[in-house]
């Protein structure tokens, strides 16, 4: 087994590493995304409009459900997978940026997933707005050699064009919804409709050619809608659709409560993680209650809740009335990397630093971003921190053991401390800083990079779950863009989840 980032800097992808061969899999022309591009931000405006003028996704989702039911889709939204009591499946989150960071995941993913029964994509299948013509290079091409079905739950970016392309690809080529009646002039719905981003009229003309990249019968899957449940072996996997704003409508909430009944072990897959960055987000359900109330109910027997949306890996083993539920963030499947060094010392729901896991390690995250901003601002000598220096200063700020032992050359100076502060590094809750918290907020909201801005190591990841009659083995594998991690993807975290 190869070194992971917890073992050596080389295991994290630092140093003079041989480049990966993933570029050979990419299309000839790749349009790189930059979230600093005003045109990109304008195209992705629907989330902001929904928060200002009301969120229409619940009503739109109901219309999609009615259309699928009329077409004969099962109303319980249940998919039966004929597998043995021992089987494996993959979970990959936030995949569809289409550039180096996405394709760097492919060689390791194909190696690790070779004998799995299916894959679940957890949130944001296609960036930036879920357009149909983007599916060729951001879904069909990267997964063309994966020889099993792929199911998906949409993220907010898939909803930026009202989920039309997602429904065509994953839900039996669902036709477009009929136009709704015009809203009352000058009302909130009227303003929202006036400004709403909609797909191009020509969008989707290349979708038939794209489907030819995954033509094998064994690769095909049809799901009943944007939320569903899969019965496979001893478990039920339940995928929910949290729409534009990270909530559930009343109808989906009622379905979740119903499909979660019974003692069968269950795993939730959601586009909105319930624990993330050391904070608790239970996910409200329209009309009352939360998703996490369902997950915590002992009669429903959830053993894990896996969420996408945040582009890294985190795990919180939460004790709920004497049993442990693994709350996992797994959104590192192909978009830019959200920083982990901004996560303060973890103390939430009884989970502390000794129990919490993340990838990339906070020190590697800080080293990565220090180099990126050193290049971007033309201040490399000031900003750039070595992996050892970054690891040491993070351990000092958090008051914890370092995730990886720093090298003997590691130094903590006024400069390293200042750079860590400027880049929003987290600290100890008992030592709040009036300066640090606003910097963290601005940093995480405004300064996350797009795929146009960085090179390996990418710090991408994906999950493999091996299911047996009595337990599930969950492993997080890394992808850096370097050849060593393509040939032997390192395990960054592993946990065994009992089912009995």
């Amino acid at each position: 087994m190869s070194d992971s980032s917890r073992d050596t800097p080389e295991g994290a992808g630092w140093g003079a590493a041989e480049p990966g061969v993933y570029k050979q899999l990419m299309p000839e022309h790749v349009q790189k995304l930059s979230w600093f591009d005003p045109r990109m931000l304008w195209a992705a405006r629907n989330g902001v409009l929904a928060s200002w003028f009301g969120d229409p996704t619940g009503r739109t989702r109901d219309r999609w459900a009615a259309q699928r039911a009329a077409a004969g889709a099962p109303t319980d939204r249940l998919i039966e997978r004929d597998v043995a009591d021992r089987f494996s499946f993959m979970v990959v989150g936030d995949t569809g940026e289409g550039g180096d960071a996405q394709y760097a995941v492919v060689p390791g993913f194909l190696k690790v997933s070779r004998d799995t029964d299916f894959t679940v994509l957890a949130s944001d299948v296609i960036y930036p707005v879920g357009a149909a013509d983007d599916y060729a290079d951001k879904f069909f091409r990267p997964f063309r050699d994966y020889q099993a079905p792929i199911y998906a739950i949409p993220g907010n970016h898939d909803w930026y064009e009202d989920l039309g392309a997602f429904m065509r690809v994953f839900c039996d080529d669902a036709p477009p919804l009929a136009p709704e009646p015009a809203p009352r002039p000058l009302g909130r719905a009227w303003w929202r409709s006036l400004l709403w981003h909609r797909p191009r009229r020509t969008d989707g003309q290349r979708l038939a050619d794209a489907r030819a990249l995954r033509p094998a019968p064994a690769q095909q899957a049809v799901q009943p809608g944007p939320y569903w449940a899969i019965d496979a072996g001893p478990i039920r996997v339940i995928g929910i659709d949290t729409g534009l704003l990270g909530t559930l409508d009343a109808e989906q909430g009622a379905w979740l409560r119903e499909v979660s009944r019974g003692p069968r072990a269950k795993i939730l897959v959601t586009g909105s993680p319930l624990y993330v960055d050391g904070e608790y987000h239970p996910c409200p359900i329209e009309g009352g209650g939360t998703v996490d109330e369902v997950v915590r109910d002992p009669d429903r027997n959830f053993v894990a809740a896996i969420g996408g949306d945040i582009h890294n890996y985190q795990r919180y083993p939460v004790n709920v009335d004497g049993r442990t539920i693994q709350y996992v963030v797994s959104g590192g499947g192909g978009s830019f990397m959200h920083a982990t060094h901004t996560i303060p010392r973890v103390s939430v729901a009884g989970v502390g630093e000794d129990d919490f896991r993340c990838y990339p390690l906070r020190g590697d995250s800080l080293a990565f971003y220090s180099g990126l901003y050193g290049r971007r601002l033309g201040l490399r000598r000031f900003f750039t921190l070595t992996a050892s220096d970054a690891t040491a200063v993070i351990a000092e700020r958090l008051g914890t053991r370092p995730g990886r032992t720093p090298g003997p050359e590691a130094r903590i100076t006024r400069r390293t401390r200042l750079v860590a502060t400027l880049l929003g590094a987290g600290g100890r809750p008992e030592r709040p800083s009036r300066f640090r918290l606003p910097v963290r907020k601005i940093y995480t909201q405004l300064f996350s990079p797009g795929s146009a801005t960085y090179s390996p190591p990418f710090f991408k990841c994906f999950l493999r779950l091996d299911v047996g009659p009595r337990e599930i083995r969950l492993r997080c594998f890394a992808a850096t863009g370097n050849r060593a991690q393509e040939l032997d993807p390192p395990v960054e975290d592993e946990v065994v989840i009992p089912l009995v």
Side-chain angles (χ1 to χ4, degrees):
M1 182 180 295
S2 63
D3 284 348
S4 74
S5 67
R6 294 181 177 273
D7 299 316
T8 64
E10 292 74 20
W14 299 113
E18 178 186 356
V21 300
Y22 68 88
K23 285 184 177 290
Q24 300 174 14
L25 308 173
M26 296 175 66
E28 184 176 351
H29 301 290
V30 176
Q31 181 183 6
K32 293 187 176 183
L33 300 185
S34 172
W35 296 104
F36 295 105
D37 186 342
R39 294 170 300 176
M40 190 84 62
L41 296 174
W42 177 243
R45 63 189 178 270
N46 285 359
V48 175
L49 295 176
S51 66
W52 288 353
F53 300 113
D55 184 2
T57 55
R59 186 177 67 254
T60 304
R61 190 185 293 114
D62 290 347
R63 296 176 67 213
W64 281 120
Q67 183 203 82
R68 298 294 297 129
T75 55
D76 60 5
R77 299 175 176 85
L78 190 60
I79 302 165
E80 299 277 357
R81 294 288 306 169
D82 185 15
V83 299
D85 281 348
R86 295 184 183 276
F87 75 99
S88 302
F89 69 102
M90 306 293 289
V91 177
V92 195
D94 299 81
T95 55
E97 199 166 276
D100 289 59
Q102 178 175 9
Y103 280 87
V105 174
V106 173
F109 171 85
L110 293 176
K111 186 178 182 69
V112 172
S113 67
R114 194 167 296 159
D115 60 344
T116 55
D117 289 275
F118 60 90
T119 285
V120 174
L121 302 186
S123 181
D124 290 342
V125 179
I126 300 295
Y127 291 99
V129 294
D133 281 341
D134 284 342
Y135 269 84
D137 291 339
K138 299 178 182 181
F139 172 71
F140 287 103
R141 182 180 295 275
F143 291 107
R144 66 188 303 176
D145 293 324
Y146 178 64
Q147 298 301 316
I150 298 175
Y151 303 94
I153 57 166
N156 57 311
H157 287 267
D158 301 302
W159 268 101
Y160 286 162
E161 292 191 350
D162 293 328
L163 211 64
F166 181 97
M167 296 295 293
R168 290 180 64 180
V169 170
F170 293 103
C171 301
D172 202 23
D173 207 15
L177 293 173
E180 287 194 288
R184 179 173 56 85
L186 301 181
R188 296 176 72 206
W190 183 85
W191 284 108
R192 184 183 64 220
S193 178
L194 178 67
L195 299 171
W196 200 251
H197 170 81
R198 295 177 175 84
R200 303 186 313 273
R201 293 186 178 182
T202 58
D203 188 45
Q205 293 182 349
R206 299 196 299 268
L207 200 52
D209 293 338
R211 291 182 190 275
L213 293 168
R214 279 179 55 84
Q219 295 176 308
Q220 307 310 308
V222 174
Q223 60 190 58
Y227 58 96
W228 42 258
I230 299 174
D231 278 350
I235 69 169
R236 173 170 286 182
V237 182
I238 299 175
I240 60 173
D241 168 19
T242 55
L244 282 171
L245 300 182
T247 62
L248 257 63
D249 61 279
E251 180 177 330
Q252 186 179 181
W255 170 85
L256 174 64
R257 293 182 176 105
E258 180 63 31
V259 81
S260 301
R261 295 183 185 275
R264 188 176 195 162
K266 300 173 186 73
I267 295 174
L268 181 76
V269 182
T270 170
S272 298
L274 304 179
Y275 286 90
V276 60
D277 294 347
E279 299 175 349
Y280 178 48
H281 300 274
C283 189
I285 298 174
E286 181 187 19
T290 68
V291 169
D292 198 43
E293 288 176 358
V294 178
V295 171
R296 287 170 172 259
D297 185 344
D299 294 333
R300 290 182 161 91
N301 197 22
F302 278 87
V303 297
I306 303 172
D309 189 53
I310 302 301
H311 305 166
N312 53 46
Y313 173 81
Q314 302 173 42
R315 181 169 64 84
Y316 302 81
V318 177
N319 185 292
V320 180
D321 299 326
R323 61 195 181 95
T324 299
I325 301 176
Q326 299 291 341
Y327 290 87
V328 176
V329 177
S330 183
S335 185
F336 67 87
M337 183 261 284
H338 276 134
T340 58
H341 68 265
T342 58
I343 302 172
R345 180 167 174 153
V346 170
S347 179
V348 60
V351 178
E353 279 293 323
D354 290 341
D355 308 308
F356 170 70
R357 294 290 183 272
C358 69
Y359 175 79
L361 298 176
R362 291 178 175 104
D364 289 329
S365 172
L366 178 59
F368 174 94
Y369 275 92
S370 73
L372 186 151
Y373 281 94
R375 295 191 301 272
R376 177 175 293 168
L377 300 175
L379 297 170
R380 297 190 187 205
R381 293 186 62 182
F382 171 74
F383 265 102
T384 303
L385 304 181
T386 67
S388 287
D389 289 351
T391 297
V393 76
I394 286 289
E396 178 190 71
R397 291 176 72 94
L398 296 176
T400 61
R401 296 188 302 272
R404 179 180 64 243
T405 302
E409 74 283 1
R411 297 177 61 214
I412 300 177
T413 65
R414 283 186 294 180
R415 181 183 71 88
T416 58
R417 291 187 179 109
L418 178 58
V419 169
T421 298
L422 290 174
L423 294 183
R428 311 181 204 183
E430 66 270 20
R431 292 172 54 191
S433 165
R434 288 180 295 176
F435 173 61
R436 181 177 65 245
L437 294 180
V439 169
R440 276 193 68 226
K441 186 174 182 180
I442 293 171
Y443 169 81
T444 54
Q445 290 185 355
L446 297 182
F447 294 153
S448 293
S451 62
T453 62
Y454 64 85
S455 56
F458 293 119
F459 297 109
K460 300 289 94 190
C461 60
F462 52 89
L463 305 183
R464 174 176 170 131
L465 290 87
D466 298 301
V467 181
R470 302 183 65 84
E471 64 185 30
I472 299 172
R473 182 189 185 199
L474 182 152
R475 287 176 288 171
C476 172
F477 290 86
T480 67
N482 293 331
R483 185 60 174 155
Q485 286 79 35
E486 288 182 348
L487 293 172
D488 190 6
V491 177
E492 291 293 338
D493 186 36
E494 179 173 353
V495 62
V496 174
I497 304 170
L499 298 182
V500 180

